[in-house]
Amino acid sequence: MKRLSFFLLAGFLSVGAYAQQQGLDALTEKTFQSEKEKSDKAITDEKSSVKPKTWLDRAKTYENIATQAIKLDSNAANVAYEAYQKVIELDKDKKSGGPGKMAKEAEEALKGQPLFQAFMNSGIYKYQAKNFKDAATLMTRAGEINPKDTTAALYAGIFSQNAEKPADAKANFERYIANGGKDVSVYTTLVSLYYQDKEVEKAVATIDKGLSVFPNNKDLTTQRTSILVTSGKMDDAITSLKDQIAKEPNNVNNLLTLAGIYDSKLRDQSDELKKLKGDAKKGPNATKQLADEKTVLKESQNELTRLTARQKREPKNVDVKNQITRVKQMIADSQTKITGLEKEVQQQAQQSQAAGNQEQKLAELTKSVDESRGMVKEYYNKALQVDPNNFDANFNLGAAYFNEAIQIREQLGAMDMKEYQAKGKEIEGQVCGKFKQALPYFQKAKSVKDTDQDLNDNLTNLQNILKQFEDNKVVCIESK
């Protein structure tokens, strides 16, 4: 998962005093240490521990330690925060019962820049010590004190990521964006966080939000397409890529990606079409099998009637008795088959009814397959127009023709002799033509990279196939 810790180098150089306290002189450090010890002692004294001023002084002391001498106490910001809250608890106006003067001062301090800086400084200090959990908590508190600050939101998101707290990271990065943060890497990282948690809609919405700020950013557009594809939103991915191609018609990667999406779509459509054709053939066969089996049953029942009558005339005939046993078994087998076939026919009828007009669906799906196949070729060809030596475009375009040839050849296997005599030779020519069209693309791909094993295997196989067609004197018919 992508992390944003690379921001920190630039960030630390721009945040002024945060975590940069290497140059404390001995006298200053001694002063802070003395004030700290004095405060620690005061809150243990029975009389002073109930005075608001004791806690207000403590809050300011630890606030200063957090911003100027953090090494004395890395938890100083939290101590200051709790001390301010204690002031509010203890200082009540005697007349109204509301907050007293010091309590009001503490309330303002809890929203003030000094305490904000204290938590920022403490968070970075903890991060540098690789205490990511505390760093994230401290930086998140800084963001609560100053909810409009982008730096706190950014660092809180980074620290939460490192602390393996993705929900907090997402919330902080969202706040960074809402506050007007302009770093595109925050968008891409937030998208990754949403996507890894399978929040696809939020991931896409974040990208769209980022593109409204960075309309020409390639990382965001690429990320959008990738998420749409892997989430199965093929049509949306196609629309997105076509928009990108309209802006950059010579971007080979976009052309290859779009061709690949159509290729994937084509495979799914082809599988669905093959299944639909199989179901279309299966239905009538099951109905015919049922009718044939009922005929067999009726004949067996007639034979049983004849044999039973004969047994009455010849009660001691063992052969007749054995024949009756066999026929009864045949009747039982037929009845079992009929039960199964009746269920199959019923299921097919239900499927046919649910599917509606199967012929129309076959026609529509066939048209979709042809359209997708055309798009595959179109965009691989466009990629080759930009880069004729592109290995992927040449290999995949060759594969497109090769696979089309195999699909056409399947028609031959489904033909009976009469159908083959009528149009088998023509279809063989079409198959040969598609294989032949694949050849120059595989050869070009090999000239670019001759070490690819898949390519070499396909090319060898293709050359053998074409040799067989040549030996059989098949006339190749080439078409788009």
Side-chain angles (χ1 to χ4, degrees):
M1 180 182 68
K2 185 176 181 181
R3 296 185 182 275
L4 291 185
S5 40
F6 62 84
F7 277 123
L8 293 178
L9 179 60
F12 289 153
L13 297 177
S14 64
V15 292
Y18 302 156
Q20 298 183 30
Q21 302 168 2
Q22 311 298 334
L24 266 184
D25 59 57
L27 181 60
T28 303
E29 185 173 345
K30 186 176 180 180
T31 300
F32 278 123
Q33 181 65 40
S34 176
E35 291 177 359
K36 178 180 182 299
E37 292 173 356
K38 181 180 176 183
S39 177
D40 292 345
K41 183 178 180 181
I43 63 168
T44 61
D45 182 79
E46 187 176 347
K47 291 182 179 180
S48 61
S49 64
V50 295
K51 296 178 179 179
K53 189 174 184 313
T54 300
W55 291 96
L56 185 60
D57 290 343
R58 180 176 180 78
K60 292 178 179 179
T61 294
Y62 274 87
E63 193 174 72
N64 288 331
I65 290 172
T67 54
Q68 300 176 58
I70 190 71
K71 289 183 179 180
L72 291 180
D73 190 336
S74 62
N75 196 44
N78 279 324
V79 175
Y81 185 86
E82 292 167 0
Y84 279 129
Q85 290 183 314
K86 190 70 174 178
V87 174
I88 295 170
E89 177 190 330
L90 294 175
D91 187 35
K92 304 294 184 184
D93 184 86
K94 293 180 179 179
K95 292 182 179 179
S96 66
K101 183 178 179 181
M102 283 184 284
K104 290 178 180 179
E105 183 180 346
E107 287 174 348
E108 288 300 313
L110 286 170
K111 300 179 289 185
Q113 186 67 14
L115 190 62
F116 167 75
Q117 291 179 339
F119 275 101
M120 286 284 290
N121 205 59
S122 298
I124 292 174
Y125 186 81
K126 290 284 189 180
Y127 181 84
Q128 290 174 329
K130 300 190 182 303
N131 185 341
F132 301 133
K133 183 178 178 181
D134 286 352
T137 301
L138 289 161
M139 199 58 69
T140 299
R141 176 59 56 81
E144 292 169 356
I145 294 171
N146 187 353
K148 296 296 182 182
D149 185 80
T150 55
T151 303
L154 174 61
Y155 286 2
I158 296 169
F159 298 170
S160 296
Q161 260 195 296
N162 282 275
E164 305 297 338
K165 299 168 73 175
D168 290 346
K170 284 185 279 190
N172 284 304
F173 287 142
E174 284 284 12
R175 192 170 78 248
Y176 171 83
I177 291 170
N179 288 347
K182 299 292 186 183
D183 199 307
V184 69
S185 295
V186 175
Y187 284 94
T188 57
T189 301
L190 182 56
V191 169
S192 297
L193 287 167
Y194 279 131
Y195 185 67
Q196 74 175 12
D197 288 341
K198 299 180 180 178
E199 297 177 278
V200 175
E201 298 301 329
K202 287 185 178 180
V204 174
T206 301
I207 292 174
D208 290 341
K209 196 184 297 182
L211 287 171
S212 69
V213 181
F214 310 99
N216 298 315
N217 186 270
K218 293 181 180 180
D219 289 339
L220 286 170
T221 52
T222 300
Q223 198 175 27
R224 190 180 198 279
T225 301
S226 176
I227 286 174
L228 291 173
V229 171
T230 55
S231 302
K233 298 178 181 293
M234 295 299 191
D235 291 338
D236 291 339
I238 288 171
T239 300
S240 179
L241 272 168
K242 284 184 175 179
D243 288 343
Q244 294 174 53
I245 289 169
K247 296 175 184 176
E248 293 183 276
N250 293 330
N251 187 312
V252 174
N253 286 334
N254 286 342
L255 292 168
L256 290 175
T257 301
L258 184 53
I261 291 174
Y262 275 118
D263 210 351
S264 177
K265 193 173 182 179
L266 173 61
R267 286 194 296 273
D268 291 342
Q269 291 169 337
S270 297
D271 289 344
E272 186 180 354
L273 182 60
K274 187 176 181 180
K275 183 178 183 300
L276 194 60
K277 285 180 177 179
D279 290 344
K281 289 182 179 180
K282 189 177 179 182
N285 288 341
T287 302
K288 185 176 183 304
Q289 288 172 17
L290 177 60
D292 290 345
E293 197 60 44
K294 285 183 176 179
T295 299
V296 171
L297 175 62
K298 187 175 181 180
E299 290 174 352
S300 297
Q301 289 171 333
N302 290 339
E303 178 66 7
L304 179 62
T305 300
R306 187 186 69 78
L307 288 170
T308 302
R310 183 179 173 186
Q311 187 182 41
K312 289 180 180 178
R313 296 192 304 269
E314 306 173 25
K316 295 182 179 181
N317 190 325
V318 177
D319 185 52
V320 171
K321 184 178 180 182
N322 290 337
Q323 288 182 54
I324 288 174
T325 301
R326 286 196 297 271
V327 171
K328 284 182 177 179
Q329 184 60 52
M330 290 171 62
I331 289 172
D333 291 343
S334 287
Q335 288 172 335
T336 301
K337 287 182 182 179
I338 287 169
T339 300
L341 287 166
E342 284 175 340
K343 288 181 180 178
E344 189 173 334
V345 169
Q346 185 179 10
Q347 289 172 354
Q348 290 168 357
Q350 291 172 348
Q351 290 170 357
S352 178
Q353 184 179 6
N357 189 329
Q358 197 171 44
E359 287 186 6
Q360 182 180 351
K361 189 171 182 181
L362 276 168
E364 291 173 352
L365 193 52
T366 299
K367 182 181 177 182
S368 296
V369 165
D370 291 340
E371 289 174 351
S372 294
R373 181 176 287 118
M375 289 298 183
V376 169
K377 295 175 184 175
E378 177 182 340
Y379 284 100
Y380 279 134
N381 273 312
K382 284 185 175 180
L384 288 176
Q385 289 170 14
V386 179
D387 180 8
N389 294 319
N390 187 281
F391 175 84
D392 290 329
N394 278 292
F395 178 85
N396 288 320
L397 191 50
Y401 281 111
F402 189 96
N403 292 334
E404 188 177 0
I406 291 174
Q407 289 175 356
I408 297 173
R409 191 169 62 182
E410 289 174 355
Q411 297 177 36
L412 294 172
M415 287 181 178
D416 56 29
M417 184 57 69
K418 184 178 180 180
E419 289 174 322
Y420 182 81
Q421 288 174 345
K423 53 185 179 180
K425 290 293 183 182
E426 180 184 353
I427 291 178
E428 277 190 350
Q430 292 173 4
V431 172
C432 178
K434 293 301 177 185
F435 278 130
K436 190 174 180 180
Q437 284 174 285
L439 183 61
Y441 296 107
F442 282 155
Q443 289 173 329
K444 181 65 175 178
K446 184 175 177 62
S447 73
V448 175
K449 184 168 64 176
D450 64 359
T451 58
D452 188 276
Q453 192 59 48
D454 286 341
L455 169 62
N456 290 328
D457 290 345
N458 282 338
L459 184 55
T460 300
N461 189 22
L462 176 59
Q463 289 168 334
N464 291 334
I465 291 171
L466 289 173
K467 181 68 168 56
Q468 290 173 13
F469 279 117
E470 184 181 347
D471 292 343
N472 293 328
K473 300 188 182 332
V474 174
V475 178
C476 297
I477 303 171
E478 296 184 34
S479 63
K480 292 182 180 180

